[in-house]
Amino acid sequence: MAVTETAPGEAMAEHTEVEEPSATRSAHEGILRRQSARESAARTYARALPIVPVRARGLTIEGADGRRYLDCLSGAGTLALGHNHPVVLEAIRKVLDSGAPLHVLDLATPVKDAFITELFRTLPPGLADHARVQFCGPAGTDAVEAAFKLVRAATGRNGMLAFAGAYHGMTSGALEASGDAFDVRVARLPYPQDYRCPFGVGGPHGAELAARWTESVLDDPKSGVPMPAGMILEPVQGEGGVLPAPDGWMRRMRRITADRSIPLIADEVQTGVGRTGAFWAVEHSGITPDVMVLSKAIGGSLPLAVVVYREELDVWEPGAHAGTFRGNQLAMAAGTATMAYVRENGLTERAATLGARMLEQLRGLSREFSVIGDVRGRGLMIGVEIVEEGAGGGERSGMAEPGGANGPDESGRAGGSRGSDEDCGAAGLLDSVGLSSTDDAGPVVMPGSIASPRPASPELAVAVQRECLRRGLIVELGGRHASVVRLLPPLTITDEQATAVLDRLADAVAAVARGHGRGVG
């Protein structure tokens, strides 16, 4: 049974619409006003969440205005144990009180040794037994850059494979592999999903088509994609909209890359340390990647990022990847305490059980409110996609419909590539897995076809986020059109707190549905 730490009264913390004392309100508003005047236009969370945190414990944040909030953002997944967990604070104080140096570059220290020992104890066995670790700059994006440099040096190749919808960081190389890249030097592949399947079929059929497409890109000498240095993927796309990769597809990607000597990089920055119901999300599928990129929760709330990889890839020269702040002693101590606590208290199993329960309840909510298009996730990484009502919603059959799933193309020709020499593309892939797009009688509905999803609604998603905040619930937005309400609660969340979170979210959705004339499903 997992042990959780809860501040007094935290589980019952309620957000009430009360008038704060004028002095408190003035100080709160003054801080927000000065932030707006002095900080850059690139700030993000501060725009959607106009609060001023002054105290926090576990799931709860208290603002400068005296209001209390349930935090389901958790530092974008960084706070595996929530805010200021006692074991994390104790680990930090122990280092501070010991007189140990706080800055040591990449020198060996007892604190670092303990961190690496605990980290290797948690890694997939196939990797832990033959692994090397490289400490990077304090952000996950630097670890992604390091992983790219590593596989390029090891293979002598340059290109990378990544997936539509990916997010790997904000530095140049990481952005190139992310879904919103402007200057693309990375080959994009389809990432399987059900609700908005790029092939219009979803499920195992959609995942099979995505895998066949990947094989075709790699094996076709005229694909325009040379043999790459590596493939990077997220076991669950977070910023892409909380899309869990099917386990079978993950195993297929491992087989495809292994057969072609392409290093497989698993980006576990947000999914790691128990978040998805396994210590590392790759464990759901049983695969062992060649490289793992880790950050966020491994620092126990403090900045830390590492790359772990098979020793055969360790071809770097000294200084090939360095950084002044790669020896963060406080983060290593906090990370060691966090990983050990998660492992020893069964918080991965807790995340799996509670997450499944929350998903089930949210799917019930989606049947009540038609503005919820889809509910998905794994463990305590949950997404609720908010959609428009009254558009789409009909049954579709992918490319089997007259004119294709998307109807006429821009030239006015129905069907785009149907009936052309390009049938070896998506339609050919459909045929190759027994999902013929036509028969002698004309178009047919394919097995596994899915209902046409309604358009995403970023406006309604923002409204839901705003209503959640009014009710004392902090949530993040993500997804292709910023239309997915994301829940990333700490792994220490109690059943009572989970109920409070879902109640407030349901109330917020109901308010938005009423306010915009959206009815009950």
Side-chain angles (χ1 to χ4, degrees):
M1 181 66 181
V3 178
T4 57
E5 296 289 342
T6 306
E10 176 184 308
M12 300 302 294
E14 294 294 334
H15 175 77
T16 55
E17 296 290 341
V18 296
E19 188 71 18
E20 319 94 73
S22 58
T24 300
R25 184 171 64 250
S26 177
H28 164 84
E29 293 174 351
I31 292 172
L32 291 177
R33 185 170 58 252
R34 288 189 292 276
Q35 179 189 41
S36 178
R38 298 188 294 205
E39 292 190 25
S40 82
R43 67 190 187 281
T44 54
Y45 297 108
R47 295 179 183 274
L49 304 170
I51 62 176
V52 181
V54 293
R55 278 175 294 277
R57 180 71 175 269
L59 183 69
T60 301
I61 286 179
E62 183 178 335
D65 57 1
R67 294 178 176 176
R68 302 184 75 182
Y69 302 85
L70 301 181
D71 180 15
C72 278
L73 175 56
S74 298
T78 299
L79 305 172
L81 304 184
H83 294 276
N84 293 323
H85 193 281
V87 303
V88 172
L89 297 182
E90 180 183 0
I92 293 172
R93 289 192 188 103
K94 185 176 179 180
V95 174
L96 291 174
D97 293 343
S98 72
L102 300 183
H103 190 285
V104 294
L105 297 172
D106 67 352
L107 299 178
T109 70
V111 172
K112 178 192 279 190
D113 184 63
F115 173 83
I116 295 174
T117 299
E118 181 61 38
L119 175 62
F120 276 42
R121 182 179 289 134
T122 69
L123 292 175
L127 183 60
D129 296 340
H130 306 282
R132 293 289 185 270
V133 60
Q134 167 68 25
F135 287 84
C136 305
T141 188
D142 188 60
V144 170
E145 299 281 354
F148 289 177
K149 288 167 66 175
L150 173 71
V151 297
R152 282 168 173 153
T155 64
R157 302 189 290 262
N158 189 54
M160 296 296 302
L161 297 176
F163 291 87
Y167 177 76
H168 298 293
M170 295 299 294
T171 52
S172 177
L175 274 176
E176 288 177 3
S178 299
D180 56 354
F182 294 102
D183 181 18
V184 177
R185 289 182 288 176
V186 175
R188 286 299 188 288
L189 300 168
Y191 190 94
Q193 55 173 304
D194 289 337
Y195 190 58
R196 299 190 186 277
C197 174
F199 303 104
V201 293
H205 298 307
E208 173 66 14
L209 292 173
R212 292 284 183 105
W213 187 275
T214 299
E215 289 180 318
S216 175
V217 165
L218 289 171
D219 296 341
D220 181 356
K222 296 294 186 181
S223 71
V225 178
M227 190 59 64
M231 172 191 284
I232 185 168
L233 58 76
E234 300 159 276
V236 180
Q237 284 194 347
E239 302 305 317
V242 192
L243 301 172
D247 292 337
W249 178 83
M250 287 285 289
R251 289 188 285 270
R252 188 74 169 274
M253 292 302 103
R254 173 68 284 188
R255 198 157 56 244
I256 288 171
T257 52
D259 289 348
R260 295 160 180 80
S261 298
I262 300 171
L264 178 62
I265 305 167
D267 183 340
E268 291 258 15
V269 168
Q270 194 166 98
T271 54
V273 193
R275 169 62 55 189
T276 67
F279 206 96
W280 307 107
V282 293
E283 295 179 90
H284 292 292
S285 60
I287 72 165
T288 301
D290 301 296
V291 183
M292 290 177 66
V293 178
L294 314 176
S295 188
K296 290 190 184 292
I298 65 161
S301 77
L302 299 179
L304 188 65
V306 302
V307 181
V308 181
Y309 52 91
R310 288 192 297 108
E311 60 186 359
E312 302 95 294
L313 298 173
D314 197 23
V315 299
W316 274 338
E317 297 294 329
H321 194 81
T324 302
F325 294 102
R326 65 191 186 277
N328 190 333
Q329 297 288 279
L330 294 181
M332 291 177 192
T336 303
T338 297
M339 289 188 290
Y341 191 89
V342 170
R343 178 177 55 81
E344 293 168 358
N345 290 278
L347 293 191
T348 57
E349 294 83 358
R350 167 70 176 167
T353 301
L354 181 57
R357 191 184 314 151
M358 293 177 73
L359 280 169
E360 181 181 0
Q361 294 178 34
L362 286 168
R363 284 169 181 145
L365 189 67
S366 72
R367 291 188 287 272
E368 183 178 354
F369 295 102
S370 57
V371 294
I372 298 179
D374 192 36
V375 175
R376 53 189 179 254
R378 197 155 205 173
L380 290 175
M381 191 172 181
I382 296 171
V384 178
E385 183 163 348
I386 306 300
V387 297
E388 292 289 353
E389 188 183 31
E395 187 70 18
R396 77 176 181 190
S397 54
M399 296 190 67
E401 291 200 359
N406 297 317
D409 63 14
E410 291 181 357
S411 67
R413 293 178 294 131
S417 65
R418 286 192 66 209
S420 73
D421 291 336
E422 298 301 318
D423 282 344
C424 59
L429 283 172
L430 290 170
D431 292 337
S432 73
V433 292
L435 299 177
S436 298
S437 56
T438 60
D439 62 13
D440 292 340
V444 298
V445 175
M446 297 176 297
S449 62
I450 59 175
S452 179
R454 295 191 297 276
S457 180
E459 295 83 6
L460 292 184
V462 167
V464 170
Q465 184 186 45
R466 187 181 304 119
E467 291 296 330
C468 283
L469 193 65
R470 288 185 59 205
R471 288 157 176 78
L473 176 62
I474 297 172
V475 297
E476 182 182 14
L477 298 182
R480 283 355 191 236
H481 303 282
S483 62
V484 178
V485 177
R486 299 187 58 198
L487 300 178
L488 293 165
L491 309 187
T492 52
I493 185 173
T494 66
D495 290 347
E496 189 177 26
Q497 290 170 335
T499 297
V501 166
L502 295 182
D503 285 348
R504 295 180 194 195
L505 177 58
D507 195 38
V509 170
V512 170
R514 289 193 303 267
H516 290 78
R518 273 35 178 205
V520 174

